Amino acid sequence: MNLFKILLYLCLYSISASAWSIDVMEFHCSRKEKDFTEEYDMKITLASGSQKAKVYLDDRDLDQSDAYGNQMVKSVTMARPNILILIEANFEPEKIMDVAYPAGTVTTQITLDPITGKLKKVEKIQGGILGATIGNGTHVSEESCALTKMPYRVTSK
């Protein structure tokens, strides 16, 4: 009888826990560098079932691929209180204004604390036009973000 009660409680707990889980978080972010300020909206959708996690900046999906290269959101992890995002980008060799640039890669690790709004970005740049203009190596920056909507769950119809 005790085993039955334990199983019943576990089922009820898992149903209620999934009902309270979140699927989407929306933020308004600001990046400041010297005299330049950039503002953008970020939307994060968590993985569920066969749907992978997605990140959108100003409604632009960060998972992109074209003739110049590809960029993919590898993971979005809830590590309370932080949200951890891993993005990888690969760029093909290119020639711009008669200057040839080799292939390049950028790996971006983002840590976002939705409570404080602190976003920390660690980018590892190797080659390509970014390596030539910004420099190869690890670049760290901080931004600020504020929730624009309470986290919500998407319901399918």
Side-chain angles (χ1 to χ4, degrees):
M1 187 63 162
N2 285 339
L3 181 60
F4 177 75
K5 284 182 182 179
I6 292 171
L7 288 174
L8 179 62
Y9 288 134
L10 285 174
C11 288
L12 290 173
Y13 175 77
S14 65
I15 290 169
S16 65
S18 66
W20 288 102
S21 66
I22 57 174
D23 286 339
V24 181
M25 292 165 284
E26 295 185 29
F27 299 88
H28 182 76
C29 300
S30 177
R31 179 176 73 87
K32 294 180 183 178
E33 189 174 326
K34 297 181 184 173
D35 293 335
F36 176 76
T37 299
E38 176 186 24
E39 294 190 3
Y40 60 93
D41 293 318
M42 178 170 50
K43 179 175 160 182
I44 302 169
T45 63
L46 302 178
S48 63
S50 62
Q51 177 69 28
K52 74 181 272 311
K54 304 288 271 179
V55 178
Y56 301 88
L57 298 184
D58 289 333
D59 293 324
R60 182 178 54 87
D61 188 348
L62 290 189
D63 286 327
Q64 294 194 14
S65 184
D66 61 21
Y68 301 106
N70 63 62
Q71 175 175 281
M72 179 182 291
V73 175
K74 299 298 274 183
S75 66
V76 175
T77 306
M78 297 293 291
R80 303 224 188 253
N82 295 326
I83 302 165
L84 308 174
I85 302 168
L86 177 62
I87 302 168
E88 290 183 359
N90 298 297
F91 304 97
E92 297 296 322
E94 58 187 323
K95 189 172 186 178
I96 299 174
M97 297 175 60
D98 292 329
V99 178
Y101 298 98
T105 61
V106 178
T107 301
T108 306
Q109 295 175 335
I110 298 171
T111 303
L112 172 60
D113 183 338
I115 296 167
T116 64
K118 181 179 175 182
L119 181 145
K120 182 178 179 182
K121 188 185 304 181
V122 179
E123 296 175 296
K124 293 182 182 174
I125 299 172
Q126 185 59 49
I129 191 169
L130 291 176
T133 57
I134 297 174
N136 290 316
T138 302
H139 302 271
V140 179
S141 61
E142 289 188 4
E143 302 175 14
S144 60
C145 297
L147 274 171
T148 55
K149 286 185 180 180
M150 289 304 292
Y152 58 93
R153 185 170 182 88
V154 176
T155 57
S156 57
K157 296 181 181 183

